[in-house]
Each structure stands twice: as structure tokens, then as C-alpha cells.
Amino acid sequence: MPRNLRHFLLKDLGKAHPFRAKGGGGGKSPSDVLNRSDHAQALLQAIDFLPPIATDGLPGVYLEVKGRPNEPLAKDSLGSSGIALLRSDAEVSEAGTIETATVFATAKGVEKLRKKIEQFETEDTPDREKDGQLIPGRPKNANLVQSLAAITEAGLRALWRGPQDKFPVDNGGAHWEIWLEPEGADAFIAHAAAYQVQIGTDRLYFPEDVVIIGQATRDHIALAVRRLGAVRALAAPAATADFFDAMDVQEQVAWVEDLSQRTTYTGGANGGYVTLLDTGISRAHPLLAPVLLVQDRHAADPAWGLEDIKGHGTQLAGLALFGDLSLNLQSTMPVTVSHRLESVKLVPDAGVNPHHLLGVMTRRAINTVEQTVRRRTFTMAATTDEDTPHDGAPTSWSTEVDQLAAGVSGDRTNPRLILVSAGNTDNFKFTADPYLDTCDHPDNELESPAQAWNAISVGAYTEKAMLPAADGLTIVAPFGDLSPSSRTASWSSTWPLKPDIVLEGGNWAAGTVPPPMRHSDLSLLTVHHAYPQRSFSLTYDTSAATAIAAKQITELWSDYPLLWPETIRALYVASARWTPQMRSHLPPQPNKGSYARLFQRYGYGVPDLDRAHRSASNALSLIVQDVIIPYGLSEKTGGDVHKEMRLFTLPWPVEELRKLGNAEVTLRVALSSFIAPNPAEASRGSRYRYASHNLRFKLNRAGENAQQFMARISKAAEPAGAQVDEDDLWDFGSSRRDVGSLHIDQLTCKASDLARRNLLAVHPVAGWWKHTAMLKDGEPQVRFALVVEIDTQGVEADLYAEVQTAITALNAAQAIII
């Protein structure tokens, strides 16, 4: 066989390798020796034609091992060091019952198997005496080798754990349930996109497996499995939200009891709280009651009841604790809930709040709950379309949200972390045209108060892309793209980039007649407010996405309780990335303007809580919390001036970066500060007059010293809005970055160049606080958070150790490495 034929892709080939055993046996007669030799040689030739693991750069090879008809396959002997038994099966044919095993073998494992076969061919065990008789020795490893009939590289079907009739029959895109070994799961997930396998964000954790959902063709999933390894099994995704929602009452209660027994609530009274400003929360549900005390339910209007009549708030509460419940219900692993719930009824049981009171009611709700001092993630999935079109400009409600976040409104003066949903589209507006054209239409702009500068605005995307074939329906949004329910921003760069992030909000189904509709298989699962009449409820849209964001942010904040709200916002949003499907809307060679549509739809993308939580050896994050006096009075003229700038000498791992040389690294910077708003008519259309202050960040060029850098930055403050050439390597650029109160950008350059770019400045530009009359009463101090991340993009580098040594040299009020 020509040698190049062995480099076939891992596919569902459905045929065994042509080299097969012809028989075996013990003893030492000439015929036995011949059969023994033929059998061993056939197996050794089969091994010779396996792909060369080392030279092909493979982690190992998946093997399908067949036994001989009506004889047991020695599976226990097969699994040894370097060979992992993944699954076994038996099939009945005319020849008899044939056992089959699928294994994963490393290079070491293949060589051990080869050695066992060679020993079988040429070596015998010692003769032994039993009951006075001499028992001839047998071929070494006879039990194993004699049970083998064929060894081939495994096809995808050899890894298929589900029903055979659900195996994808063509090479179109399909969803795969991928079972991974825990040690290799992160690497597989990180590199799957390179093989055009889109990985969903949801995870199931079992004692010896991590289960994820991927979307790919058979060829692409096959190549990823072959090149990356770590896959234990493949199956058809199952157990959608509809599976649990369709159960009868008794079945649902049993599933709830099982999850309750596996759940540990670790959040104490001093821990983090998700504070839902919504329709109230029902305490009847056993999954909520342990973390929602009677005294932690409130109402913005004292005349309102506290119970959740509409059910919306309870649905969000379930997501804020558990995320999509269908995942935890399927798992058998323990579940830990590390935060608690608070409820403030913001939406009345009947009717609606008067439009002109929306800002007032929000302030009342926050004042009511803040009678107790706690660390809270305020979560509001209530918006209005009565302010549209606002084109991104502030409204009374969004301005009040900005004031509350900045701590300049409300009974308390502390800054607050506030999440707001982007608002939902009207499905009756959709036609047969591409759905993104409808979502992008100005009539579907984000609803107020989602345009608030200081709030985290949450839109929705979806990975729900599977429908029963019998329904005859199609999905509206492809896997990883914008949820059809999510509104987008249509305004110019004057106002902040919104939404900030997107999270799962479900998908819609379309049939022969519009409009598209929600579908139970494309929804999320959560708790029901009428327990025990119903245990589960379907949920969706940007409300669901906002509740999931609240869960993730509160978990992050619980791990880093000393971080400010401004810092948590920067750290969380900066962790977001666009999915491959989102990036598919970019041209092959994108310029800065190409990103505008992505920002308007998805913000910065889908947050990665793992990325926000940790700094691996090749992805280092630095966090700075500091204060600045942006404006002051000139001692010479008495007029207003820009007073302070913060210059940081970053503790770059210079030696490690120099070792990387020409390898490319990515620097990502996020700057967060809460502004005090001024929505006066003269301020509309001017970001410099709406915000109390505006901060910017700058990075020195390679080879630019501190004096040169300072001189260049001084030009950036005057006049307001002037742009300064920065050796333009930033991906998004100033027109995208320098809006709102959260600024994020990234650049990719040679590691050796980044080693010389270690000066980062935070400086003010104009804001409405920069007025002589105001500054005569004092010079306001402003808090800001700076998050700087270096990612070596998978290149091995020990960045952390060198930075840890140099961190004491960082000139900042507070610096944290995570």
C-alpha cells in the first residue's frame, strides 16, 4: 500500500483495515507456529499502517479493535499505560457475535501494544509442572493477542454513544454532544475553532467527563478529534428545555428534589446579592427559598404586594442562581450557589408605571433595598419603547440610572453596579428578509434606559439551534449569532457602544408563514413562580440574558470582593469576545470601520467567566484601582485646566517577552469610570457636556521614552476631542474606543516590541465639571479602574512569575494580579 494512503482523515469509513488475523493458538507444533506468526504479522502490519503519531504531531490515535467471532475480547488487557478504553460494543452477524472496543492510544501506548504482539510471536511463558505433569508454556500475552481480529484507525461511528439512527447521515452542519476527558477539555475547547468547530458556552461536569456542544460538519469534527484528542465519546444533543417543561407535575417535583439535594448554598449574609428590580420573586420554590429571606423582599411602592403574580421576576431569579436549569438537571455533580437573592418589585401587578415616573420608581426601589448595606448586583430587565427613537441620546430614565450608578443619586452616595436589558424586538415586524436586517433597523434600537453610560447593557445571542425534524420548522438565527429578540444600536459614535455584551437569549422558529415564533426547544429552562403546581418554566429574550449576566458577575465579584463596581464592570466586559459566527460578518481584511456593525449588535461579544477569573501563565491580567483629579484651577490665571494625569510603568515580563521575539502577542486594555451625567438640552449631541469627566488611555510607542510620551499626550487633552497619532496598531481605534465611560481596545504586535511599550497613561479630556465656576467650590476626585491583559495566544511563556517579582514597582494606589 502506498505510504501516503495512511494519512486519511478520521471519518465514518465503516470498514475495517484489510489486514486481519487468520487464527492463533498455543502449543509449539509447526502449524501452530505458522498460524501464530501469521496472526502476529497481520496485526503488526495493521499497526504499521496507523498514522505516525510523532511525525504528524498527533496527541495519539483512536483505534477500533475487533474481536474474533463468538470469542470474548480481552478488553481489560487492552487497556494499559498509554491506552485508554473508551467504549465497547458487540454486534451479531452471520459469523457470530463480535465484540468491538474503541480506545485512544498515545505513541507510547501503540509501542507497548506492538511489543506485546512481538512477544506473542517469538516468546513463550516458562513451562510449568502441575499434578506431576509438565505443562508447556504458552505464547506471551496470548489471552490478549489471540482475542484480536483487527486493528484499525477508528471512524466517528466508533466514538458514537447515542442511537445509531441519530448519527448525522450527510456532511452538512450538525450539532454534536462532545464528551471530553477533564484534563484535555480546555485545550480542545480553545483550539476547536481552528478546525471550524463552534463550541457552545454551556458545560456539563461529571466525575470523569466534561460535556460540551459543538456545531460542525462531519469532516470538520473528525479532523478536530483526530488532531486534538481528548474526546471520549460523541452523541446527539438531548434534553432541551422542552423535555423538562413537558413533564407532569410529579415528575418535575422529583427532578427539583434531586437538584436540591445536590445543591450547596454557600453565600452568607456578607456575600454577594443579585438584587432583581422586577415583578417580585416567589419564595415557594425550594430552589430559591434557601437564599431569599422573607425580609429580603421589597416593593418600590409600599402599597404593592411582594408576591410575584406575573412570574417574570421568579424566572429571572432561577437563572440568576443556576443559569439554564436543563444543564444542572442533567448533571449528577454537586452544585454550589455562592450568592443570594433580593427582590424589589418595580413593575406593578396590574397596569404599568407612568412613563414620567420610571426614573423615580427606580430610585425608590434602590433606596428601599439599600436600608441594609450589602454588595449588590442590581439587575433590571424592564425597559420602555416610549422614548424611542432616542438615537442613543440620554433620556430621563437612562440619566437617572447613570446617576444611581455613579452614586450621585439615591439616599446613599456609593457607586452601584447596575445591569439593564437591551429590550426585545416585535416578532410581527419580521418578514422573509434576513433577520439581521430587521434587527439592525433603527426602529429596533435599544430601549431606554439601556443606553445609560454607566450601566452594563445586556443583549442576547443564541446557541439554541436544534429543532425536531418532524416539526417542519427552521431556526431563524444560526448558532452563535444574534438572538432574533435582541435589539441593537443604530446610533453614531457620539454615544456609548451598546449593548456592552450578549448572552444566551434563545432562538425563534420559522415556518411557511411568518412571523417567526418562540419555540420550547429553543428556550431556556428556569423555575416557575406557581410551585408546586408547576416546577419549571420556559424563558428567553434579553431578560434571560441579563439574569445570566447577573449570575456571572456576582460570582466574579464574590471571588474578588475588594474590587470596585467600576473594576468588576471592566474586568467582566473586557473578557468578552465575538463568536466565529459573529466574526463571519467581517470582511476578509477588516479595517476599524468594519467593526461598527459588530459593536452595534453584540457589543464586545460573549463574556468568558474563566478568562475574567484567572490569569494563566500565558494570559496575564493586571488590575489597577486609582483616583485622579481631572480638572483644577490655574494658579496663574484662575481659569480651569486639566490638572492630573496618571502614568504607570507597567511591570512587563520583559525577559519572557524578549524570548518570544517575533511571536505575536495581544494587549487588551480596559478603562472604566462612572460619570455624573448632565442631560441638559445643550448637552444633547455632545459627549463632552453630558459626562462630568472623560478619561482616556494612551500607550507609549516602542522606543518612546517617558518625556517624549508625556509631551505627545499633552496634545490629546486640548482641544476637546483632538485625535493623536498613536502608531495606529489598535484594532478598534479612537472613534470606537473613546465613547461612553468604558473604553476597551486591543492591539497585536511582536512580543519584542511590546516589551518596549511599558508606559500607560490615563488622562482627562473635557467634561462638564471642567468649568471655573464649579471648580471654585472644590476639585472633584474621580475613581477609575484599569485592566491590562497580555495574551501570548497559546505560545508557551511564563509571564506570571516575572511580573510577580516586579509588581512592587508599579506606581499605583492599588494593583492586583489575578
Side-chain angles (χ1 to χ4, degrees):
M1 178 180 291
R3 188 170 180 82
N4 64 340
L5 291 184
R6 69 184 181 182
H7 294 90
F8 58 88
L9 292 178
L10 176 60
K11 296 180 180 177
D12 175 37
L13 301 178
K15 295 181 180 179
H17 200 281
F19 292 104
R20 295 181 177 274
K22 296 182 180 179
K28 298 184 180 180
S29 68
S31 61
D32 286 340
V33 172
L34 179 61
N35 286 339
R36 171 179 167 184
S37 179
D38 285 350
H39 183 65
Q41 284 298 314
L43 294 175
L44 290 172
Q45 288 181 64
I47 290 177
D48 285 340
F49 280 92
L50 294 175
I53 297 173
T55 57
D56 281 5
L58 302 176
V61 61
Y62 289 91
L63 302 179
E64 186 175 44
V65 180
K66 287 186 178 293
R68 301 172 67 186
N70 299 319
E71 294 185 15
L73 181 63
K75 297 184 290 291
D76 292 340
S77 299
L78 188 63
S80 61
S81 177
I83 298 180
L85 179 64
L86 302 180
R87 65 185 298 266
S88 60
D89 200 0
E91 60 181 34
V92 179
S93 65
E94 294 181 358
T97 301
I98 299 176
E99 291 190 9
T100 304
T102 303
V103 303
F104 180 77
T106 64
K108 181 179 178 181
V110 171
E111 288 309 306
K112 283 193 172 184
L113 180 59
R114 179 194 298 276
K115 184 175 181 179
K116 287 183 178 181
I117 297 172
E118 290 173 343
Q119 288 176 329
F120 167 82
E121 182 182 17
T122 61
E123 299 180 31
D124 296 312
T125 61
D127 297 342
R128 60 191 179 90
E129 185 175 335
K130 183 178 181 181
D131 299 330
Q133 294 185 347
L134 185 65
I135 307 296
R138 302 181 65 222
K140 282 190 175 180
N141 309 310
N143 289 343
L144 168 63
V145 179
Q146 289 181 164
S147 74
L148 305 180
I151 301 172
T152 66
E153 186 175 7
L156 283 185
R157 278 193 185 271
L159 293 171
W160 188 251
R161 179 177 289 185
Q164 290 299 314
D165 61 353
K166 292 188 176 182
F167 186 85
V169 294
D170 55 42
N171 200 34
H175 289 86
W176 306 80
E177 187 179 88
I178 307 170
W179 294 62
L180 301 169
E181 61 179 25
E183 296 79 8
D186 288 345
F188 184 93
I189 292 167
H191 296 99
Y195 300 92
Q196 300 184 51
V197 179
Q198 298 187 63
I199 302 298
T201 56
D202 293 330
R203 309 281 185 268
L204 282 174
Y205 295 95
F206 299 116
E208 296 185 40
D209 299 274
V210 176
V211 183
I212 61 175
I213 302 296
Q215 185 183 43
T217 66
R218 286 195 308 170
D219 281 352
H220 288 147
I221 192 71
L223 188 58
V225 171
R226 190 172 191 262
R227 300 295 303 182
L228 299 177
V231 176
R232 292 181 183 271
L234 299 169
T240 62
D242 177 68
F243 173 80
F244 297 101
D245 184 61
M247 290 177 176
D248 61 34
V249 174
Q250 290 77 14
E251 284 183 296
Q252 288 190 347
V253 169
W255 283 89
V256 169
E257 289 177 350
D258 173 74
L259 179 55
S260 296
Q261 292 172 1
R262 290 187 284 112
T263 301
T264 302
Y265 298 90
T266 62
N270 296 323
Y273 282 74
V274 173
T275 303
L276 286 167
L277 311 180
D278 210 271
T279 63
I281 304 176
S282 170
R283 288 193 72 250
H285 205 290
L287 294 178
L288 305 184
V291 290
L292 178 60
L293 302 180
V294 172
Q295 62 267 31
D296 287 337
R297 296 199 300 173
H298 311 270
D301 188 328
W304 295 346
L306 302 180
E307 196 62 28
D308 183 10
I309 304 302
K310 296 183 175 181
H312 189 259
T314 304
Q315 291 175 354
L316 301 192
L319 294 177
L321 291 180
F322 295 95
D324 189 346
L325 261 183
S326 58
L327 298 172
N328 282 316
L329 292 172
Q330 293 176 69
S331 175
T332 60
M333 297 294 288
V335 176
T336 300
V337 174
S338 61
H339 52 279
R340 303 177 70 85
L341 291 173
E342 282 183 327
S343 170
V344 188
K345 183 174 286 189
L346 182 68
V347 180
D349 296 336
V352 295
N353 289 313
H355 177 253
H356 66 281
L357 288 179
L358 292 174
V360 173
M361 295 302 291
T362 304
R363 184 176 69 245
R364 286 180 183 171
I366 289 178
N367 285 341
T368 298
V369 76
E370 281 191 337
Q371 294 175 28
T372 303
V373 178
R374 288 169 174 166
R375 190 176 68 252
R376 295 177 169 92
T377 303
F378 289 100
T379 306
M380 184 168 64
T383 56
T384 182
D385 61 359
E386 294 188 32
D387 283 327
T388 55
H390 50 71
D391 197 32
T395 62
S396 63
W397 196 5
S398 72
T399 302
E400 182 61 18
V401 169
D402 277 333
Q403 289 195 141
L404 289 163
V408 297
S409 180
D411 292 344
R412 296 186 179 276
T413 58
N414 54 285
R416 302 173 178 93
L417 189 60
I418 302 177
L419 277 63
V420 180
S421 63
N424 302 321
T425 59
D426 180 356
N427 65 303
F428 284 93
K429 292 182 179 180
F430 285 75
T431 64
D433 295 331
Y435 87 101
L436 286 173
D437 291 346
T438 304
C439 291
D440 289 338
H441 195 276
D443 289 346
N444 279 323
E445 73 176 14
L446 272 71
E447 292 183 327
S448 181
Q451 77 273 33
W453 287 40
N454 296 332
I456 297 179
S457 176
V458 185
Y461 87 118
T462 188
E463 293 179 357
K464 307 283 186 180
M466 294 178 292
L467 283 169
D471 287 2
L473 301 172
T474 59
I475 57 171
V476 172
F479 181 97
D481 215 321
L482 189 74
S483 171
S485 66
S486 190
R487 288 175 173 255
T488 63
S490 57
W491 49 78
S492 70
S493 60
T494 298
W495 301 113
L497 301 172
K498 295 291 177 176
D500 293 282
I501 55 164
V502 290
L503 285 161
E504 181 64 67
N507 204 346
W508 288 355
T512 56
V513 179
M517 302 297 290
R518 297 186 181 103
H519 191 284
S520 56
D521 279 3
L522 304 177
S523 302
L524 294 83
L525 189 74
T526 187
V527 300
H528 201 285
H529 71 288
Y531 184 90
Q533 285 80 13
R534 294 293 295 172
S535 296
F536 304 129
S537 175
L538 300 176
T539 188
Y540 20 67
D541 300 345
T542 58
S543 294
T546 305
I548 294 174
K551 173 183 183 294
Q552 294 184 351
I553 286 176
T554 309
E555 290 173 347
L556 177 65
W557 209 356
S558 295
D559 285 347
Y560 302 101
L562 298 181
L563 295 184
W564 298 340
E566 301 95 319
T567 314
I568 290 293
R569 176 177 69 150
L571 191 60
Y572 183 67
V573 176
S575 76
R577 300 292 188 273
W578 295 312
T579 68
Q581 175 62 29
M582 295 171 188
R583 296 190 69 91
S584 71
H585 300 298
L586 290 172
Q589 299 295 328
N591 55 36
K592 289 177 174 56
S594 305
Y595 294 103
R597 182 64 68 192
L598 271 63
F599 278 119
Q600 290 172 334
R601 289 175 185 164
Y602 321 110
Y604 291 97
V606 184
D608 184 335
L609 198 57
D610 287 340
R611 181 183 290 119
H613 262 103
R614 70 176 187 271
S615 174
S617 62
N618 61 350
L620 177 74
S621 296
L622 300 173
I623 300 175
V624 174
Q625 297 183 150
D626 204 354
V627 295
I628 187 173
I629 300 175
Y631 316 119
L633 294 175
S634 170
E635 295 181 359
K636 294 182 179 179
T637 66
D640 52 81
V641 294
H642 293 124
K643 182 165 186 178
E644 287 186 349
M645 174 179 65
R646 284 286 183 268
L647 182 65
F648 300 99
T649 302
L650 298 172
W652 269 181
V654 175
E655 292 305 317
E656 286 297 323
L657 290 173
R658 285 174 176 167
K659 289 178 186 177
L660 294 177
N662 290 330
E664 291 194 332
V665 296
T666 297
L667 173 73
R668 193 172 176 95
V669 180
L671 173 64
S672 174
S673 179
F674 288 163
I675 57 97
N678 176 13
E681 187 61 33
S683 301
R684 295 178 67 85
S686 173
R687 60 187 181 221
Y688 298 105
R689 298 190 67 179
Y690 176 75
S692 54
H693 62 281
N694 286 280
L695 301 181
R696 303 287 186 262
F697 66 79
K698 296 288 187 296
L699 184 72
N700 71 320
R701 299 167 180 165
E704 185 178 40
N705 62 34
Q707 184 177 1
Q708 295 168 327
F709 183 43
M710 297 273 285
R712 180 164 63 90
I713 292 175
S714 65
K715 300 176 184 178
E718 301 287 359
Q723 301 299 328
V724 177
D725 177 25
E726 295 184 71
D727 190 23
D728 200 19
L729 295 176
W730 295 101
D731 285 356
F732 308 143
S734 58
S735 62
R736 301 266 78 79
R737 178 179 72 231
D738 293 344
V739 292
S741 59
L742 176 62
H743 314 283
I744 301 176
D745 209 341
Q746 65 182 33
L747 61 82
T748 301
C749 64
K750 295 178 181 178
S752 56
D753 286 344
L754 184 60
R756 298 184 293 159
R757 304 187 70 172
N758 66 333
L759 299 176
L760 195 149
V762 174
H763 66 88
V765 294
W768 68 266
W769 277 355
K770 185 178 177 288
H771 292 288
T772 302
M774 180 180 176
L775 293 173
K776 287 180 179 179
D777 295 330
E779 298 175 344
Q781 197 175 60
V782 174
R783 300 199 317 185
F784 69 88
L786 189 66
V787 178
V788 185
E789 177 186 354
I790 309 174
D791 188 348
T792 60
Q793 305 180 59
V795 178
E796 290 298 325
D798 188 6
L799 306 180
Y800 189 92
E802 190 176 345
V803 171
Q804 193 172 34
T805 303
I807 195 64
T808 54
L810 181 61
N811 296 318
Q814 185 177 1
I816 305 163
I817 308 181
I818 66 169

